[in-house]
């Protein structure tokens, strides 16, 4: 999601006041009960178990259980040819056919609806679990106009569904069939579908501080605050940002869980053969974000990166780096390339106007991506999709080392990623058409499906190469208290301490280990 200028370090202490009543969901569909656990590399016939389902509420057991592949998924969708010509197998699906499902904590083995204000993007609404429900064969994420008393003082309620720490994937084709809310020509709605690494929980700022939007494995100046050497004040490219941020290239606090982290510090691992930590992060890939335009609807499909290149430029002179495909949706490069909190590589495409505010017409948006670590530098790639058309592709060759910035290449992430669906609104993303926008409005999701190639079956939130479970358990307050918006606030609240800046683990480039 595009971050808002000047908001990232603001403390927004909204109390969580929604009352969670009895929202039991009765299993009447024949779904298969699954035990808790994780798997990193299930075989093609395996039924992988669920992750840490009831983590957020130990007293609220999961009432509904089901197999990873929804039995309502048609046989024709159980496998699919990928964009690289490799057959892919369905490893997860949710058809949302069962009516009346809700997603309060502990109710669903794979999804949870959040209850918070998404301050990081200056959202107008409060995300409330009541605004996420299934009906008539699809999921509805509703945006409603409310009294201030009913909306935590915000005036609006929206819906956000996450599979955080319940279902994660590494390297996959992810499809979501949706009907976008409102009209393609009336501005204000912000529907999206995206992926984030499990070490960062969307809406929980303390988990994202110093992890988002990094995808970085090296130990160099790219791990430091503002990408700046505190001794020399260099390199000179730190003033190649945009005027909105006074030409500063980066306002990021540094990579908190970097490869430079001193031994014994608070880091999820793994420890490499040379005794150093692997660089870890909360990378983000946006499957789509939709906007309305006077000439019709448009989606952006984006990968976020850190650290940043000078001027946020990336290499795009060859198809080995970037390719935009010919389709009915007329994809083009997004002129927005980033700011002091993120570097974004993004494509813009038109949309099918018949798929807005519809209960019968849906459009499929998706991605297919290969992590760099599978086969090494130069092999990572992300391709975005609309319907069965590829929209555009970027590879890690577009984000190679940059000598002027003194940073290394940024890989296509190998972190376990979870799925987020949300329907909100923010003046920072798009102005509201106050006269014509209608409430309530529904963002409908017909299905979510995840495919992986037979050669790389890799699901689970705690894979050996990128573990998360112990770290989350050891820092659970950061992952369960959205009022802690910075890591320093978490350190103060938890009693943990570190000699590093912002309370971060010590970095051997600037701290004494």
């Amino acid at each position: 999601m595009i971050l808002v200028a000047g908001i990232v370090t603001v403390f927004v202490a909204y109390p969580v006041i929604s009352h969670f009543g009895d929202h039991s969901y009765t299993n009447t569909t024949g779904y298969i009960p699954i035990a808790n656990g994780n798997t990193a590399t299930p075989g093609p016939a395996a039924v992988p178990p669920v992750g840490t389902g009831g983590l957020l509420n130990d007293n609220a057991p999961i009432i509904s259980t089901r197999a990873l592949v929804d039995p309502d998924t048609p046989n024709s969708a159980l496998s699919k040819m990928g964009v690289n010509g490799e057959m892919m197998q369905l490893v997860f699906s949710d058809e949302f056919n069962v009516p009346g499902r809700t997603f309060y904590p502990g109710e669903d083995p794979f999804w949870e609806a959040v209850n918070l204000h998404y301050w990081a993007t200056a959202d107008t609404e409060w995300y409330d679990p009541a605004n996420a429900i299934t009906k008539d064969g699809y999921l509805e994420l509703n945006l409603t106009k409310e009294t201030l008393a009913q909306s935590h003082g915000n005036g609006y309620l929206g819906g956000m569904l996450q599979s955080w720490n319940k279902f994660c994937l590494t390297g996959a084709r992810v499809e979501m069939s949706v009907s976008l809310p409102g009209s393609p020509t009336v501005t204000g709605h912000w529907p999206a579908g995206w992926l984030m690494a499990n070490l960062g929980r969307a809406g929980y700022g303390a988990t994202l501080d110093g992890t988002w939007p990094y995808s970085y494995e090296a130990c160099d100046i790219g791990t430091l605050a503002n990408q700046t050497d505190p001794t020399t004040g260099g390199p000179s490219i730190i003033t190649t940002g945009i005027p909105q941020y006074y030409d500063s290239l980066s306002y990021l606090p540094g990579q908190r869980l970097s490869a430079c982290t001193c031994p014994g510090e608070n880091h999820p691992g793994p420890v490499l053969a040379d005794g150093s930590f692997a660089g870890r992060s909360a990378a983000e890939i946006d499957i789509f974000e939709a906007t309305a335009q006077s000439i019709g609807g448009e989606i952006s499909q984006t990968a976020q990166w850190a650290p940043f290149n000078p001027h946020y430029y990336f290499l795009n002179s060859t198809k080995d780096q970037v390719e935009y495909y010919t389709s009915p949706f007329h994809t083009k490069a997004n002129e927005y390339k980033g700011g002091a909190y993120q570097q974004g590589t993004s494509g813009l495409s038109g949309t099918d106007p018949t798929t807005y505010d519809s209960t019968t017409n849906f459009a499929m948006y998706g991605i297919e991506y290969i992590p760099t670590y599978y086969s090494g530098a130069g092999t990572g790639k992300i391709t975005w999709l609309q319907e069965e058309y590829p929209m555009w592709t970027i590879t890690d060759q577009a984000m190679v080392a940059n000598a002027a910035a003194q940073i290394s290449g940024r890989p296509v992430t190998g972190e376990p990623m979870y799925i987020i669906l949300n329907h909100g609104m923010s003046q920072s993303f798009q102005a509201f058409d106050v006269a014509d926008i209608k409430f309530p409005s529904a963002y409908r999701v017909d299905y979510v499906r995840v495919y992986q190639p037979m050669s790389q079956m890799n699901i689970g939130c705690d894979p050996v190469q990128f573990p998360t479970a112990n770290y989350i358990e050891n820092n659970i307050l950061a992952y369960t208290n959205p009022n802690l918006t910075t890591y320093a606030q978490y350190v103060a609240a938890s009693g943990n301490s570190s000699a590093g800046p912002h309370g971060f683990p010590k970095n051997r480039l600037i701290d004494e280990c």
Side-chain angles (χ1 to χ4, degrees):
M1 311 299 279
I2 304 301
L3 203 62
V4 180
I7 301 216
V8 69
T9 58
V10 176
F11 177 71
V12 185
Y14 287 96
V16 178
I17 61 175
S18 277
H19 175 68
F20 288 81
D22 180 11
H23 296 279
S24 301
Y25 166 56
T26 303
N27 178 10
T28 59
T29 64
Y31 290 158
I32 301 171
I34 311 171
N36 267 347
N38 273 295
T39 184
T41 52
V47 179
V50 184
T52 53
L55 179 64
L56 299 189
N57 186 350
D58 292 336
N59 297 318
I62 294 175
I63 296 170
S64 67
T65 55
R66 65 178 185 85
L68 284 163
V69 173
D70 191 327
D72 287 338
T73 303
N75 288 338
S76 60
L78 296 181
S79 62
K80 176 162 285 192
M81 186 66 69
V83 295
N84 298 312
E86 186 173 3
M87 185 60 68
M88 308 185 84
Q89 177 181 314
L90 187 70
V91 296
F92 173 83
S93 62
D94 198 329
E95 305 295 322
F96 301 111
N97 283 348
V98 178
R101 287 170 62 189
T102 54
F103 303 93
Y104 289 82
E107 287 191 335
D108 193 271
F110 302 121
W111 302 105
E112 183 169 309
V114 300
N115 184 41
L116 51 79
H117 177 242
Y118 209 86
W119 55 269
T121 46
D123 280 31
T124 303
E125 82 295 335
W126 179 283
Y127 283 127
D128 192 301
N131 281 37
I133 192 168
T134 59
K135 60 178 292 187
D136 301 328
Y138 42 77
L139 167 72
E140 274 195 355
L141 297 176
N142 292 300
L143 191 63
T144 57
K145 190 172 184 177
E146 308 285 352
T147 66
L148 295 179
Q150 293 172 322
S151 58
H152 306 258
N154 288 54
Y156 301 89
L157 294 177
M160 174 184 279
L161 209 61
Q162 303 181 358
S163 71
W164 175 77
N165 215 36
K166 293 175 176 253
F167 172 76
C168 302
L169 56 99
T170 305
R173 178 186 178 108
V174 183
E175 298 183 353
M176 44 191 63
S177 178
V178 309
S179 169
L180 296 173
S183 162
T185 59
V186 176
T187 62
H189 298 284
W190 190 359
W194 42 304
L195 304 180
M196 179 171 278
N198 200 51
L199 284 174
R201 188 177 184 196
Y204 292 74
T207 71
L208 301 169
D209 190 15
T211 60
W212 177 92
Y214 287 93
S215 182
Y216 207 50
E217 299 173 350
C219 177
D220 57 30
I221 202 169
T223 68
L224 300 183
N226 314 118
Q227 292 180 222
T228 302
D229 184 327
T231 302
T232 67
S236 60
I237 56 86
I238 63 172
T239 58
T240 59
I242 59 177
Q244 182 180 357
Y245 300 102
Y246 308 100
D247 298 325
S248 294
L249 181 68
S250 174
Y251 282 177
L252 291 180
Q255 186 180 5
R256 172 159 53 89
L257 304 175
S258 75
C260 302
T261 302
C262 291
E265 293 288 307
N266 187 16
H267 190 288
V271 176
L272 304 179
D274 64 1
S276 66
F277 283 117
R280 302 295 303 279
S281 63
E284 176 183 341
I285 304 173
D286 298 330
I287 297 172
F288 81 94
E289 297 174 274
T291 58
Q293 314 284 338
S294 60
I295 59 173
E298 188 174 67
I299 57 166
S300 59
Q301 297 179 299
T302 307
Q304 318 282 0
W305 311 87
F308 311 147
N309 289 342
H311 303 287
Y312 315 107
Y313 291 160
F314 56 96
L315 302 181
N316 61 359
S317 60
T318 73
K319 291 184 178 180
D320 288 335
Q321 299 160 343
V322 172
E323 183 172 4
Y324 301 94
Y325 302 100
T326 300
S327 80
F329 303 106
H330 308 291
T331 304
K332 61 183 179 182
N334 191 342
E335 293 183 2
Y336 174 83
K337 293 181 174 62
Y341 293 109
Q342 63 189 161
Q343 178 168 352
T345 54
S346 182
L348 300 176
S349 304
T351 57
D352 179 352
T354 69
T355 61
Y356 285 72
D357 194 24
S358 177
T359 58
T360 56
N361 293 338
F362 294 80
M364 187 279 281
Y365 304 110
I367 62 161
E368 191 170 317
Y369 81 103
I370 302 172
T372 295
Y373 93 92
Y374 277 2
S375 300
T379 65
K381 66 187 296 186
I382 309 169
T383 298
W384 285 265
L385 311 165
Q386 182 173 181
E387 300 297 21
E388 294 300 325
Y389 295 96
M391 297 290 97
W392 79 287
T393 292
I394 189 169
T395 76
D396 58 8
Q397 297 180 51
M399 300 298 294
V400 295
N402 187 281
Q406 300 176 24
I407 60 175
S408 302
R410 280 122 300 165
V412 174
T413 184
E415 294 280 350
M417 308 289 278
Y418 65 97
I419 302 169
I420 305 170
L421 302 161
N422 64 289
H423 183 193
M425 58 182 182
S426 172
Q427 293 278 11
S428 70
F429 184 71
Q430 190 171 47
F432 308 156
D433 183 343
V434 177
D436 294 320
I437 191 170
K438 293 183 173 61
F439 300 100
S441 62
Y443 164 28
R444 300 181 178 95
V445 183
D446 185 36
Y447 64 76
V448 173
R449 297 172 185 164
V450 178
Y451 297 84
Q452 291 183 324
M454 300 289 287
S455 60
Q456 290 287 1
M457 306 289 285
N458 193 344
I459 60 175
C461 296
D462 191 39
V464 173
Q465 303 93 330
F466 296 88
T468 70
N470 287 341
Y471 183 81
I472 290 171
E473 182 179 356
N474 292 335
N475 298 275
I476 192 63
L477 183 63
Y479 289 92
T480 55
N481 186 348
N483 294 331
L484 300 176
T485 62
T486 68
Y487 188 76
Q489 291 170 5
Y490 160 66
V491 168
S494 65
N496 291 343
S497 62
S498 175
H502 314 290
F504 284 13
K506 290 185 287 187
N507 181 313
R508 68 174 181 264
L509 296 183
I510 56 174
D511 300 306
E512 183 177 346
C513 292

